[in-house]
Structures are given as C-alpha cells and as structure tokens.
Amino acid sequence: MKTDIDFYFDFISPYGYLASTQLERIAIAHQRRIEWRPFLVGVTVMKIMGLKPMMQTPLKSDYVRLDKPRMASLLGVPLASPDVSRSNSVAAARAFYWIRDRDADAAMAFAKRMLHRAWVEGRDITPPEAVAEEASFVGIDAAQLRQALASQSLKDRLQREMDATIARGVFGSPFFIVDEQPIWGVDRLWMLEHWLRNGHWRRE
Amino acid sequence: MKTDIDFYFDFISPYGYLASTQLERIAIAHQRRIEWRPFLVGVTVMKIMGLKPMMQTPLKSDYVRLDKPRMASLLGVPLASPDVSRSNSVAAARAFYWIRDRDADAAMAFAKRMLHRAWVEGRDITPPEAVAEEASFVGIDAAQLRQALASQSLKDRLQREMDATIARGVFGSPFFIVDEQPIWGVDRLWMLEHWLRNGHWRRE
C-alpha cells in the first residue's frame, strides 16, 4: 500500500533529465511506483513566482553552465547541450498526457524517449513533428496524436495538470512528492532516499 | 598545501547557519581550513540577479518554511524561527571583517556567536548593540567596535568584500568555493565532501 513517487519535471530542464536517470533505480530499491508528471517550469517560474528564466539570471546562469556537466559526471550519465533558449515543451507535455490517458506504460516510454532526444541526442523537442515521431516509436498513431495536439480539449487537459501542479506547490524541475513530502532538485535525491528508507526526517 | 574552503554565508540566512554546523567536521576530516566570508545575500539576489527575496517568492516561500525545520532535523541541530523579515546583517558583516583584520580566530568565534544568537536563541542580530555585545564575548572592545561600525572606512571594507564575492560568482547562502569549484546550497554538502574526498566530479 505504498504511495507513488510523483515526479514533476519539464522536458526542457536538464536537471529534470538528470533526475530521471536515477529515479527508477531509487524507486525499485524502495518498492515504489513513479508517476511521471511533466509540466512547464517557465509558467511556474515566470508567471507564478515572478522570476526570470534560470539562464537569464546573472550569476546563476554561469553557475548552472558549469554545474550541469559535473552533475552528469557525478551521476555517470551523458548530457548533451542543446540550445533550449528557443525551445519549448508544450507539445511534448500535451502529448504525454494524451498518451497517459490511453496507456500509462507507453506514456512513460514516450517521456524517456523525449528526454533522450533532448539531453542525449541534443535534438530539438519543440515541433509537433518531433513529438509525433518519438510517440510513433512507442506504438502511438502519429496522425491521431498530431490531430489531438491541435485540439482545444488537449490544451485544456494540460492546463488542468498545470493548475494541479501549482496547487501542490511544485515550482522547479525536478520536483518530487512522496507521502506528501515535497522535495526540490536533483541535488536532493539523497533526501528522497532518506525518506524512502526511514519515513522520517531525523538523522540516521 | 591544500587550499582553504571559502565559506560564503549571510548571518540572516537559515541555510547558511545550517551549513555552518556541518562544515568544521567536514573540513577537519579532509584537513582543510575554512575561510568564513559573510556577505549580504539580499544584494546579490535583488540588485545583481534581479530576483525577489526568497520569503516573498510565491511557492518557494511555502517550501522553505516546510524545509527549514526538516533540514535542521536531518542534520541533528536546533533551529529557531526568528522573524528576519525586518532584520539585516549589515552591522554583523561589517563587524566580522573589522575583527577579521585584527584576529582571525576571534572573527570565527564571533561569527559562530552571531549565528547562534539568530538561529538557536532566535534573537535579532540587526542592531549595533547586539553585534557589539556578541563581539565583547570573544574579547573585542565593544566601544572601539561601535566606533568602527559608524566609520566610512568599514563601510568601504564590506563593499570591497561584496564586490569580490560577486566577482567570484557567489549568489546564494551558503556557497562554498574550494579549489576553484563553486558549490551552492546546504543540500550540496555531499558534493563538497565528494570533491574533498576525490578531487574530481566522476562517480565514485
């Protein structure tokens, strides 16, 4: 009866990708399921929090440029450096939820493919064609998905997810919630593991 | 010939205090000295980065309120909750560098006392009287310090420290620099330890 780990991430977030490479190992070790929940971190950061994008923030942008490759190295995973300044993950996120409503396993496989495309292959994930291409590799009808991506109902579907995400206090990527405990950042995977191991926040 | 750990923190930053409780143990284990470097995080966050104060940022402020006590619990240290919304650490930081220029050990002891006053005793650290009182407990002449706190030369001294701090890319509290490696956040003490242990960023 263990609850799921809610894994909030943005497809265009390098730290979200980095977390995704570690999370399954952690979840399996502690017999938890992962609920993948892509969202648009630009909306929370800019519209809700009133901040600037990370890579347009003085001092922090320099730090992040230096930090991304060393974090990938620490985790032992590849990390490409696509130019995401003109990318957005709206179509990817909408596609995810459309697939999720039909097939949870396919949605997870799709999410992994999109993250791989962006952060291992270094390719753009913005255009609906890119999204449909990756979806087709996990057994989704690309034409049907392309049609759905143009629909108001799928826009509304993502909007409801965004509202729920913000209502739960999620603001950064990655962000984990397990047993109502919010945990922000790939640098806090050790806290997630502490909680899963102990179910408390006292020192071990 | 090991270099020091530069420890940047703001006296009014709870995460800076929390880091200070762990850093000596880590430094001793790896035979490093710590250079304590208080700065004014409000200047970097608001003036240089153009962001809002953490506790006035939607979503993040709620997260931090929940996170501070659990981080203290994880580290096994006390944490008071003073209202720091009207506090500032300008006098404390100026006093630190004035003492530091005269006696490095006394400056470190003063820094610990100020952090204890704020984050264990929950008392205000803003007024020059409070600063002078704590300084007197580490053998500093309170009257001399009070006079120095009113001087332009000490204002300039802190300004030079701030300029150097920003030039090194420091933006948050706590922030560590060791062997030119910048590390931000109490949640990254594991990275600091990784570096000190290995001298590289590869997976262990």
Side-chain angles (χ1 to χ4, degrees):
Chain A
M1 299 299 292
K2 287 180 177 174
T3 63
D4 294 348
I5 301 168
D6 283 310
F7 171 41
Y8 291 91
F9 66 99
D10 191 322
F11 286 110
I12 57 167
S13 157
Y15 291 119
Y17 152 72
L18 289 172
S20 79
T21 67
Q22 308 298 309
L23 200 55
E24 287 189 311
R25 172 183 57 73
I26 294 170
I28 289 166
H30 297 282
Q31 294 145 2
R32 300 272 188 157
R33 274 190 65 255
I34 302 165
E35 187 70 43
W36 296 57
R37 296 186 176 279
F39 76 107
L40 309 177
V41 74
V43 173
T44 54
V45 167
M46 286 184 278
K47 291 200 188 161
I48 309 295
M49 302 171 85
L51 305 179
K52 290 183 257 195
M54 188 166 69
M55 297 316 285
Q56 290 168 34
T57 304
L59 302 180
K60 192 160 184 184
S61 54
D62 292 330
Y63 178 80
V64 167
R65 252 184 294 275
L66 177 149
D67 186 57
K68 285 185 297 184
R70 75 180 175 183
M71 188 63 83
S73 173
L74 274 171
L75 300 177
V77 297
L79 178 69
S81 300
D83 175 13
V84 294
S85 64
R86 276 154 308 190
S87 296
N88 80 66
S89 50
V90 175
R94 285 180 185 155
F96 175 89
Y97 288 106
W98 187 79
I99 301 169
R100 178 69 183 81
D101 290 341
R102 285 150 186 83
D103 184 337
D105 289 340
M108 190 175 69
F110 166 77
K112 288 182 194 174
R113 283 202 72 96
M114 293 303 290
L115 289 167
H116 192 274
R117 183 184 184 101
W119 299 108
V120 180
E121 299 172 23
R123 296 163 69 197
D124 191 16
I125 58 161
T126 308
E129 306 87 72
V131 172
E133 185 189 3
E134 298 298 336
S136 71
F137 289 127
V138 300
I140 301 297
D141 186 306
Q144 250 192 312
L145 174 58
R146 289 291 300 274
Q147 202 169 3
L149 283 173
S151 71
Q152 187 60 43
S153 65
L154 187 51
K155 290 179 189 176
D156 296 342
R157 174 75 175 86
L158 178 59
Q159 187 55 57
R160 285 195 303 277
E161 282 296 328
M162 285 301 301
D163 294 343
T165 298
I166 292 160
R168 292 193 81 189
V170 173
F171 56 88
S173 168
F175 202 107
F176 318 101
I177 301 181
V178 60
D179 304 336
E180 309 294 321
Q181 303 297 320
I183 298 169
W184 168 47
V186 70
D187 40 16
R188 288 187 174 222
L189 287 172
W190 63 275
M191 280 182 66
L192 177 64
E193 292 192 83
H194 179 106
W195 179 267
L196 293 172
R197 211 159 42 231
N198 302 295
H200 64 64
W201 291 121
R202 296 185 299 282
R203 194 152 62 156
E204 279 174 322
Chain B
M1 299 302 292
K2 288 179 177 174
T3 63
D4 294 348
I5 301 169
D6 283 310
F7 171 41
Y8 292 90
F9 67 99
D10 190 323
F11 287 109
I12 57 167
S13 155
Y15 290 121
Y17 153 73
L18 289 172
S20 78
T21 67
Q22 308 298 308
L23 200 54
E24 288 190 308
R25 173 183 57 73
I26 293 170
I28 288 166
H30 298 282
Q31 293 145 6
R32 301 273 189 158
R33 275 190 65 255
I34 303 166
E35 187 69 44
W36 295 60
R37 296 187 177 278
F39 75 108
L40 308 177
V41 74
V43 172
T44 54
V45 168
M46 286 185 277
K47 291 199 188 160
I48 309 295
M49 303 170 86
L51 306 178
K52 290 183 257 193
M54 189 167 70
M55 298 315 286
Q56 290 169 33
T57 304
L59 301 180
K60 190 159 185 189
S61 53
D62 291 331
Y63 177 79
V64 167
R65 250 185 294 276
L66 178 147
D67 185 56
K68 284 184 297 184
R70 76 179 175 185
M71 188 63 82
S73 173
L74 273 171
L75 300 178
V77 296
L79 179 68
S81 300
D83 175 13
V84 293
S85 64
R86 275 154 308 187
S87 295
N88 81 66
S89 51
V90 176
R94 285 181 186 154
F96 175 89
Y97 288 106
W98 188 80
I99 302 170
R100 177 70 183 79
D101 290 341
R102 283 149 188 83
D103 183 337
D105 289 342
M108 189 176 69
F110 167 76
K112 288 182 192 174
R113 284 202 70 97
M114 292 303 289
L115 289 167
H116 192 272
R117 183 184 184 100
W119 298 107
V120 180
E121 299 172 23
R123 294 162 71 197
D124 192 15
I125 59 160
T126 306
E129 306 88 71
V131 171
E133 184 188 4
E134 297 298 337
S136 71
F137 288 127
V138 301
I140 301 299
D141 185 306
Q144 251 193 311
L145 174 58
R146 289 291 299 274
Q147 202 171 0
L149 283 173
S151 71
Q152 187 60 42
S153 65
L154 187 51
K155 289 178 189 176
D156 295 342
R157 173 76 175 87
L158 179 59
Q159 187 55 56
R160 286 196 302 276
E161 281 297 326
M162 286 301 302
D163 293 344
T165 299
I166 291 159
R168 293 193 81 187
V170 172
F171 56 87
S173 168
F175 201 106
F176 318 101
I177 301 182
V178 61
D179 303 336
E180 310 294 321
Q181 304 297 320
I183 299 169
W184 168 47
V186 68
D187 40 16
R188 287 184 174 226
L189 286 172
W190 65 273
M191 281 180 67
L192 176 63
E193 293 192 82
H194 179 104
W195 179 267
L196 293 173
R197 213 160 38 234
N198 302 295
H200 64 64
W201 292 120
R202 297 186 297 283
R203 194 152 65 159
E204 282 172 322

mmCIF file of all heavy atoms in Angstrom, chain A residues 10-49:
data_model
loop_
_atom_site.group_PDB
_atom_site.id
_atom_site.type_symbol
_atom_site.label_atom_id
_atom_site.label_comp_id
_atom_site.label_asym_id
_atom_site.label_seq_id
_atom_site.Cartn_x
_atom_site.Cartn_y
_atom_site.Cartn_z
ATOM 1 N N ASP A 10 10.254 19.120 -16.312
ATOM 2 C CA ASP A 10 9.990 19.738 -17.614
ATOM 3 C C ASP A 10 10.925 19.082 -18.623
ATOM 4 O O ASP A 10 12.110 18.882 -18.324
ATOM 5 C CB ASP A 10 10.245 21.247 -17.535
ATOM 6 C CG ASP A 10 9.749 21.991 -18.768
ATOM 7 O OD1 ASP A 10 9.882 21.442 -19.896
ATOM 8 O OD2 ASP A 10 9.242 23.107 -18.616
ATOM 9 N N PHE A 11 10.403 18.756 -19.792
ATOM 10 C CA PHE A 11 11.251 18.123 -20.812
ATOM 11 C C PHE A 11 12.448 18.998 -21.200
ATOM 12 O O PHE A 11 13.468 18.469 -21.641
ATOM 13 C CB PHE A 11 10.427 17.807 -22.072
ATOM 14 C CG PHE A 11 9.490 16.633 -21.901
ATOM 15 C CD1 PHE A 11 8.116 16.824 -21.848
ATOM 16 C CD2 PHE A 11 9.979 15.338 -21.808
ATOM 17 C CE1 PHE A 11 7.246 15.748 -21.692
ATOM 18 C CE2 PHE A 11 9.120 14.249 -21.654
ATOM 19 C CZ PHE A 11 7.747 14.456 -21.593
ATOM 20 N N ILE A 12 12.319 20.309 -21.047
ATOM 21 C CA ILE A 12 13.459 21.165 -21.426
ATOM 22 C C ILE A 12 14.370 21.488 -20.230
ATOM 23 O O ILE A 12 15.253 22.346 -20.328
ATOM 24 C CB ILE A 12 13.020 22.487 -22.105
ATOM 25 C CG1 ILE A 12 12.084 23.270 -21.211
ATOM 26 C CG2 ILE A 12 12.414 22.233 -23.468
ATOM 27 C CD1 ILE A 12 11.885 24.707 -21.680
ATOM 28 N N SER A 13 14.191 20.794 -19.141
ATOM 29 C CA SER A 13 15.025 21.019 -17.955
ATOM 30 C C SER A 13 16.132 19.970 -17.872
ATOM 31 O O SER A 13 15.861 18.782 -17.698
ATOM 32 C CB SER A 13 14.150 20.955 -16.698
ATOM 33 O OG SER A 13 14.924 20.638 -15.564
ATOM 34 N N PRO A 14 17.405 20.401 -17.961
ATOM 35 C CA PRO A 14 18.497 19.422 -17.862
ATOM 36 C C PRO A 14 18.506 18.698 -16.521
ATOM 37 O O PRO A 14 18.805 17.503 -16.463
ATOM 38 C CB PRO A 14 19.759 20.272 -18.031
ATOM 39 C CG PRO A 14 19.333 21.677 -17.756
ATOM 40 C CD PRO A 14 17.899 21.770 -18.139
ATOM 41 N N TYR A 15 18.174 19.424 -15.460
ATOM 42 C CA TYR A 15 18.161 18.790 -14.147
ATOM 43 C C TYR A 15 17.011 17.785 -14.024
ATOM 44 O O TYR A 15 17.126 16.792 -13.310
ATOM 45 C CB TYR A 15 18.082 19.846 -13.042
ATOM 46 C CG TYR A 15 19.340 20.684 -12.908
ATOM 47 C CD1 TYR A 15 19.315 22.057 -13.095
ATOM 48 C CD2 TYR A 15 20.554 20.095 -12.584
ATOM 49 C CE1 TYR A 15 20.465 22.829 -12.961
ATOM 50 C CE2 TYR A 15 21.710 20.854 -12.450
ATOM 51 C CZ TYR A 15 21.662 22.214 -12.645
ATOM 52 O OH TYR A 15 22.804 22.968 -12.513
ATOM 53 N N GLY A 16 15.910 18.068 -14.724
ATOM 54 C CA GLY A 16 14.812 17.100 -14.774
ATOM 55 C C GLY A 16 15.249 15.810 -15.450
ATOM 56 O O GLY A 16 14.990 14.704 -14.960
ATOM 57 N N TYR A 17 15.954 15.966 -16.573
ATOM 58 C CA TYR A 17 16.502 14.784 -17.250
ATOM 59 C C TYR A 17 17.459 14.032 -16.338
ATOM 60 O O TYR A 17 17.388 12.804 -16.197
ATOM 61 C CB TYR A 17 17.219 15.204 -18.540
ATOM 62 C CG TYR A 17 18.333 14.257 -18.940
ATOM 63 C CD1 TYR A 17 18.050 12.984 -19.454
ATOM 64 C CD2 TYR A 17 19.675 14.609 -18.745
ATOM 65 C CE1 TYR A 17 19.081 12.105 -19.780
ATOM 66 C CE2 TYR A 17 20.696 13.741 -19.067
ATOM 67 C CZ TYR A 17 20.404 12.495 -19.586
ATOM 68 O OH TYR A 17 21.416 11.624 -19.888
ATOM 69 N N LEU A 18 18.371 14.759 -15.708
ATOM 70 C CA LEU A 18 19.364 14.097 -14.845
ATOM 71 C C LEU A 18 18.669 13.300 -13.738
ATOM 72 O O LEU A 18 19.059 12.164 -13.436
ATOM 73 C CB LEU A 18 20.334 15.129 -14.255
ATOM 74 C CG LEU A 18 21.318 15.738 -15.271
ATOM 75 C CD1 LEU A 18 22.104 16.884 -14.643
ATOM 76 C CD2 LEU A 18 22.275 14.675 -15.831
ATOM 77 N N ALA A 19 17.635 13.872 -13.144
ATOM 78 C CA ALA A 19 16.891 13.141 -12.107
ATOM 79 C C ALA A 19 16.248 11.882 -12.679
ATOM 80 O O ALA A 19 16.230 10.837 -12.029
ATOM 81 C CB ALA A 19 15.832 14.053 -11.488
ATOM 82 N N SER A 20 15.745 11.990 -13.897
ATOM 83 C CA SER A 20 15.043 10.840 -14.498
ATOM 84 C C SER A 20 15.974 9.644 -14.673
ATOM 85 O O SER A 20 15.529 8.506 -14.677
ATOM 86 C CB SER A 20 14.444 11.234 -15.858
ATOM 87 O OG SER A 20 15.451 11.241 -16.878
ATOM 88 N N THR A 21 17.268 9.914 -14.789
ATOM 89 C CA THR A 21 18.214 8.805 -14.985
ATOM 90 C C THR A 21 18.460 8.028 -13.687
ATOM 91 O O THR A 21 19.029 6.938 -13.724
ATOM 92 C CB THR A 21 19.589 9.316 -15.503
ATOM 93 O OG1 THR A 21 20.228 10.103 -14.479
ATOM 94 C CG2 THR A 21 19.427 10.125 -16.773
ATOM 95 N N GLN A 22 18.088 8.602 -12.551
ATOM 96 C CA GLN A 22 18.373 7.975 -11.252
ATOM 97 C C GLN A 22 17.126 7.428 -10.572
ATOM 98 O O GLN A 22 17.216 6.600 -9.661
ATOM 99 C CB GLN A 22 18.997 9.017 -10.305
ATOM 100 C CG GLN A 22 20.191 9.733 -10.886
ATOM 101 C CD GLN A 22 21.337 8.804 -11.216
ATOM 102 O OE1 GLN A 22 21.767 8.003 -10.379
ATOM 103 N NE2 GLN A 22 21.822 8.848 -12.448
ATOM 104 N N LEU A 23 15.972 7.943 -10.997
ATOM 105 C CA LEU A 23 14.771 7.743 -10.187
ATOM 106 C C LEU A 23 14.275 6.304 -10.191
ATOM 107 O O LEU A 23 13.787 5.802 -9.167
ATOM 108 C CB LEU A 23 13.683 8.700 -10.682
ATOM 109 C CG LEU A 23 12.556 8.991 -9.710
ATOM 110 C CD1 LEU A 23 13.077 9.512 -8.379
ATOM 111 C CD2 LEU A 23 11.597 9.988 -10.329
ATOM 112 N N GLU A 24 14.393 5.640 -11.315
ATOM 113 C CA GLU A 24 13.870 4.258 -11.369
ATOM 114 C C GLU A 24 14.651 3.329 -10.439
ATOM 115 O O GLU A 24 14.067 2.487 -9.763
ATOM 116 C CB GLU A 24 13.899 3.756 -12.808
ATOM 117 C CG GLU A 24 12.811 4.423 -13.620
ATOM 118 C CD GLU A 24 12.649 3.817 -14.999
ATOM 119 O OE1 GLU A 24 13.674 3.661 -15.693
ATOM 120 O OE2 GLU A 24 11.501 3.514 -15.358
ATOM 121 N N ARG A 25 15.970 3.476 -10.430
ATOM 122 C CA ARG A 25 16.794 2.689 -9.510
ATOM 123 C C ARG A 25 16.331 2.911 -8.060
ATOM 124 O O ARG A 25 16.160 1.964 -7.291
ATOM 125 C CB ARG A 25 18.260 3.127 -9.669
ATOM 126 C CG ARG A 25 19.222 2.550 -8.661
ATOM 127 C CD ARG A 25 20.648 3.106 -8.847
ATOM 128 N NE ARG A 25 20.775 4.551 -8.772
ATOM 129 C CZ ARG A 25 20.699 5.278 -7.657
ATOM 130 N NH1 ARG A 25 20.498 4.693 -6.488
ATOM 131 N NH2 ARG A 25 20.831 6.593 -7.702
ATOM 132 N N ILE A 26 16.099 4.168 -7.727
ATOM 133 C CA ILE A 26 15.680 4.504 -6.355
ATOM 134 C C ILE A 26 14.300 3.935 -6.061
ATOM 135 O O ILE A 26 14.067 3.336 -5.006
ATOM 136 C CB ILE A 26 15.694 6.041 -6.163
ATOM 137 C CG1 ILE A 26 17.142 6.556 -6.245
ATOM 138 C CG2 ILE A 26 15.042 6.435 -4.853
ATOM 139 C CD1 ILE A 26 17.270 8.082 -6.310
ATOM 140 N N ALA A 27 13.384 4.097 -7.011
ATOM 141 C CA ALA A 27 12.012 3.627 -6.807
ATOM 142 C C ALA A 27 11.972 2.105 -6.651
ATOM 143 O O ALA A 27 11.283 1.571 -5.772
ATOM 144 C CB ALA A 27 11.134 4.067 -7.978
ATOM 145 N N ILE A 28 12.717 1.419 -7.469
ATOM 146 C CA ILE A 28 12.741 -0.046 -7.409
ATOM 147 C C ILE A 28 13.305 -0.516 -6.062
ATOM 148 O O ILE A 28 12.762 -1.415 -5.420
ATOM 149 C CB ILE A 28 13.558 -0.628 -8.587
ATOM 150 C CG1 ILE A 28 12.771 -0.436 -9.891
ATOM 151 C CG2 ILE A 28 13.877 -2.111 -8.369
ATOM 152 C CD1 ILE A 28 13.590 -0.653 -11.155
ATOM 153 N N ALA A 29 14.370 0.132 -5.633
ATOM 154 C CA ALA A 29 15.004 -0.258 -4.359
ATOM 155 C C ALA A 29 14.037 -0.127 -3.191
ATOM 156 O O ALA A 29 14.169 -0.836 -2.185
ATOM 157 C CB ALA A 29 16.254 0.591 -4.124
ATOM 158 N N HIS A 30 13.060 0.798 -3.317
ATOM 159 C CA HIS A 30 12.146 1.031 -2.202
ATOM 160 C C HIS A 30 10.708 0.633 -2.547
ATOM 161 O O HIS A 30 9.772 1.064 -1.889
ATOM 162 C CB HIS A 30 12.229 2.499 -1.784
ATOM 163 C CG HIS A 30 13.590 2.880 -1.290
ATOM 164 N ND1 HIS A 30 14.034 2.559 -0.037
ATOM 165 C CD2 HIS A 30 14.626 3.494 -1.913
ATOM 166 C CE1 HIS A 30 15.288 2.982 0.107
ATOM 167 N NE2 HIS A 30 15.665 3.555 -1.016
ATOM 168 N N GLN A 31 10.578 -0.193 -3.575
ATOM 169 C CA GLN A 31 9.269 -0.722 -3.974
ATOM 170 C C GLN A 31 8.198 0.356 -4.114
ATOM 171 O O GLN A 31 7.114 0.251 -3.538
ATOM 172 C CB GLN A 31 8.815 -1.804 -2.980
ATOM 173 C CG GLN A 31 9.724 -3.013 -3.034
ATOM 174 C CD GLN A 31 9.915 -3.681 -1.677
ATOM 175 O OE1 GLN A 31 9.340 -3.269 -0.690
ATOM 176 N NE2 GLN A 31 10.717 -4.715 -1.651
ATOM 177 N N ARG A 32 8.561 1.378 -4.853
ATOM 178 C CA ARG A 32 7.581 2.425 -5.144
ATOM 179 C C ARG A 32 7.372 2.496 -6.640
ATOM 180 O O ARG A 32 8.274 2.212 -7.424
ATOM 181 C CB ARG A 32 8.101 3.797 -4.675
ATOM 182 C CG ARG A 32 8.389 3.863 -3.207
ATOM 183 C CD ARG A 32 7.168 4.247 -2.412
ATOM 184 N NE ARG A 32 7.525 4.488 -1.024
ATOM 185 C CZ ARG A 32 6.817 5.234 -0.183
ATOM 186 N NH1 ARG A 32 5.693 5.801 -0.568
ATOM 187 N NH2 ARG A 32 7.209 5.398 1.062
ATOM 188 N N ARG A 33 6.186 2.950 -7.024
ATOM 189 C CA ARG A 33 5.937 3.292 -8.420
ATOM 190 C C ARG A 33 6.271 4.767 -8.627
ATOM 191 O O ARG A 33 6.198 5.554 -7.689
ATOM 192 C CB ARG A 33 4.460 3.087 -8.786
ATOM 193 C CG ARG A 33 4.086 1.679 -9.207
ATOM 194 C CD ARG A 33 2.666 1.666 -9.769
ATOM 195 N NE ARG A 33 2.531 2.443 -11.002
ATOM 196 C CZ ARG A 33 1.962 3.643 -11.095
ATOM 197 N NH1 ARG A 33 1.419 4.213 -10.043
ATOM 198 N NH2 ARG A 33 1.918 4.290 -12.256
ATOM 199 N N ILE A 34 6.607 5.116 -9.867
ATOM 200 C CA ILE A 34 6.820 6.530 -10.205
ATOM 201 C C ILE A 34 5.656 6.998 -11.062
ATOM 202 O O ILE A 34 5.299 6.337 -12.036
ATOM 203 C CB ILE A 34 8.121 6.726 -11.008
ATOM 204 C CG1 ILE A 34 9.325 6.194 -10.225
ATOM 205 C CG2 ILE A 34 8.318 8.202 -11.353
ATOM 206 C CD1 ILE A 34 10.564 6.020 -11.101
ATOM 207 N N GLU A 35 5.066 8.112 -10.702
ATOM 208 C CA GLU A 35 4.080 8.752 -11.568
ATOM 209 C C GLU A 35 4.787 9.926 -12.248
ATOM 210 O O GLU A 35 5.128 10.912 -11.590
ATOM 211 C CB GLU A 35 2.878 9.229 -10.750
ATOM 212 C CG GLU A 35 1.721 9.756 -11.589
ATOM 213 C CD GLU A 35 1.001 8.655 -12.375
ATOM 214 O OE1 GLU A 35 0.749 7.572 -11.820
ATOM 215 O OE2 GLU A 35 0.711 8.898 -13.578
ATOM 216 N N TRP A 36 5.018 9.793 -13.559
ATOM 217 C CA TRP A 36 5.711 10.852 -14.299
ATOM 218 C C TRP A 36 4.739 12.000 -14.561
ATOM 219 O O TRP A 36 3.628 11.773 -15.060
ATOM 220 C CB TRP A 36 6.251 10.304 -15.620
ATOM 221 C CG TRP A 36 7.301 9.246 -15.464
ATOM 222 C CD1 TRP A 36 7.193 8.059 -14.795
ATOM 223 C CD2 TRP A 36 8.652 9.292 -15.986
ATOM 224 N NE1 TRP A 36 8.379 7.356 -14.857
ATOM 225 C CE2 TRP A 36 9.293 8.088 -15.600
ATOM 226 C CE3 TRP A 36 9.355 10.229 -16.744
ATOM 227 C CZ2 TRP A 36 10.619 7.814 -15.942
ATOM 228 C CZ3 TRP A 36 10.670 9.945 -17.087
ATOM 229 C CH2 TRP A 36 11.296 8.748 -16.686
ATOM 230 N N ARG A 37 5.145 13.225 -14.249
ATOM 231 C CA ARG A 37 4.246 14.374 -14.359
ATOM 232 C C ARG A 37 4.959 15.573 -14.999
ATOM 233 O O ARG A 37 5.345 16.508 -14.299
ATOM 234 C CB ARG A 37 3.709 14.763 -12.974
ATOM 235 C CG ARG A 37 2.842 13.687 -12.321
ATOM 236 C CD ARG A 37 2.221 14.216 -11.024
ATOM 237 N NE ARG A 37 1.324 13.278 -10.395
ATOM 238 C CZ ARG A 37 0.051 13.071 -10.747
ATOM 239 N NH1 ARG A 37 -0.478 13.763 -11.739
ATOM 240 N NH2 ARG A 37 -0.695 12.184 -10.113
ATOM 241 N N PRO A 38 5.097 15.542 -16.325
ATOM 242 C CA PRO A 38 5.714 16.703 -16.974
ATOM 243 C C PRO A 38 4.883 17.966 -16.769
ATOM 244 O O PRO A 38 3.656 17.911 -16.738
ATOM 245 C CB PRO A 38 5.767 16.296 -18.454
ATOM 246 C CG PRO A 38 4.783 15.194 -18.604
ATOM 247 C CD PRO A 38 4.712 14.496 -17.274
ATOM 248 N N PHE A 39 5.568 19.083 -16.607
ATOM 249 C CA PHE A 39 4.879 20.372 -16.506
ATOM 250 C C PHE A 39 5.758 21.429 -17.161
ATOM 251 O O PHE A 39 6.849 21.121 -17.643
ATOM 252 C CB PHE A 39 4.532 20.704 -15.043
ATOM 253 C CG PHE A 39 5.700 21.163 -14.210
ATOM 254 C CD1 PHE A 39 5.834 22.493 -13.822
ATOM 255 C CD2 PHE A 39 6.679 20.261 -13.803
ATOM 256 C CE1 PHE A 39 6.919 22.923 -13.058
ATOM 257 C CE2 PHE A 39 7.766 20.676 -13.030
ATOM 258 C CZ PHE A 39 7.883 22.002 -12.664
ATOM 259 N N LEU A 40 5.269 22.662 -17.199
ATOM 260 C CA LEU A 40 6.002 23.751 -17.867
ATOM 261 C C LEU A 40 6.617 24.649 -16.812
ATOM 262 O O LEU A 40 5.936 25.470 -16.192
ATOM 263 C CB LEU A 40 5.052 24.544 -18.776
ATOM 264 C CG LEU A 40 4.227 23.695 -19.753
ATOM 265 C CD1 LEU A 40 3.265 24.603 -20.545
ATOM 266 C CD2 LEU A 40 5.103 22.889 -20.697
ATOM 267 N N VAL A 41 7.900 24.479 -16.605
ATOM 268 C CA VAL A 41 8.546 25.199 -15.499
ATOM 269 C C VAL A 41 8.595 26.697 -15.783
ATOM 270 O O VAL A 41 8.617 27.509 -14.844
ATOM 271 C CB VAL A 41 9.948 24.602 -15.217
ATOM 272 C CG1 VAL A 41 10.964 24.977 -16.284
ATOM 273 C CG2 VAL A 41 10.458 24.995 -13.836
ATOM 274 N N GLY A 42 8.568 27.092 -17.050
ATOM 275 C CA GLY A 42 8.521 28.520 -17.381
ATOM 276 C C GLY A 42 7.283 29.196 -16.821
ATOM 277 O O GLY A 42 7.332 30.367 -16.427
ATOM 278 N N VAL A 43 6.173 28.469 -16.771
ATOM 279 C CA VAL A 43 4.930 29.034 -16.228
ATOM 280 C C VAL A 43 5.065 29.265 -14.729
ATOM 281 O O VAL A 43 4.736 30.346 -14.216
ATOM 282 C CB VAL A 43 3.729 28.108 -16.529
ATOM 283 C CG1 VAL A 43 2.476 28.605 -15.813
ATOM 284 C CG2 VAL A 43 3.501 28.024 -18.036
ATOM 285 N N THR A 44 5.562 28.275 -14.005
ATOM 286 C CA THR A 44 5.681 28.463 -12.555
ATOM 287 C C THR A 44 6.710 29.549 -12.237
ATOM 288 O O THR A 44 6.455 30.419 -11.410
ATOM 289 C CB THR A 44 6.075 27.153 -11.828
ATOM 290 O OG1 THR A 44 7.262 26.609 -12.403
ATOM 291 C CG2 THR A 44 4.963 26.137 -11.916
ATOM 292 N N VAL A 45 7.849 29.510 -12.905
ATOM 293 C CA VAL A 45 8.927 30.450 -12.572
ATOM 294 C C VAL A 45 8.551 31.880 -12.959
ATOM 295 O O VAL A 45 8.693 32.814 -12.166
ATOM 296 C CB VAL A 45 10.251 30.036 -13.263
ATOM 297 C CG1 VAL A 45 11.291 31.153 -13.188
ATOM 298 C CG2 VAL A 45 10.793 28.764 -12.619
ATOM 299 N N MET A 46 8.049 32.051 -14.178
ATOM 300 C CA MET A 46 7.803 33.421 -14.643
ATOM 301 C C MET A 46 6.436 33.939 -14.218
ATOM 302 O O MET A 46 6.327 35.010 -13.638
ATOM 303 C CB MET A 46 7.998 33.498 -16.152
ATOM 304 C CG MET A 46 9.496 33.439 -16.507
ATOM 305 S SD MET A 46 9.842 33.640 -18.257
ATOM 306 C CE MET A 46 9.556 31.971 -18.829
ATOM 307 N N LYS A 47 5.366 33.167 -14.494
ATOM 308 C CA LYS A 47 4.025 33.713 -14.231
ATOM 309 C C LYS A 47 3.647 33.653 -12.751
ATOM 310 O O LYS A 47 3.024 34.571 -12.237
ATOM 311 C CB LYS A 47 2.979 32.949 -15.055
ATOM 312 C CG LYS A 47 3.099 33.234 -16.541
ATOM 313 C CD LYS A 47 1.832 32.890 -17.297
ATOM 314 C CE LYS A 47 2.074 33.004 -18.793
ATOM 315 N NZ LYS A 47 1.082 32.288 -19.609
ATOM 316 N N ILE A 48 3.975 32.547 -12.089
ATOM 317 C CA ILE A 48 3.518 32.391 -10.698
ATOM 318 C C ILE A 48 4.521 32.993 -9.719
ATOM 319 O O ILE A 48 4.152 33.706 -8.790
ATOM 320 C CB ILE A 48 3.278 30.898 -10.360
ATOM 321 C CG1 ILE A 48 2.371 30.240 -11.425
ATOM 322 C CG2 ILE A 48 2.689 30.759 -8.958
ATOM 323 C CD1 ILE A 48 0.977 30.777 -11.485
ATOM 324 N N MET A 49 5.804 32.721 -9.913
ATOM 325 C CA MET A 49 6.800 33.205 -8.952
ATOM 326 C C MET A 49 7.309 34.604 -9.299
ATOM 327 O O MET A 49 7.869 35.287 -8.445
ATOM 328 C CB MET A 49 7.970 32.215 -8.901
ATOM 329 C CG MET A 49 7.526 30.813 -8.513
ATOM 330 S SD MET A 49 8.881 29.594 -8.703
ATOM 331 C CE MET A 49 9.727 29.799 -7.121
#
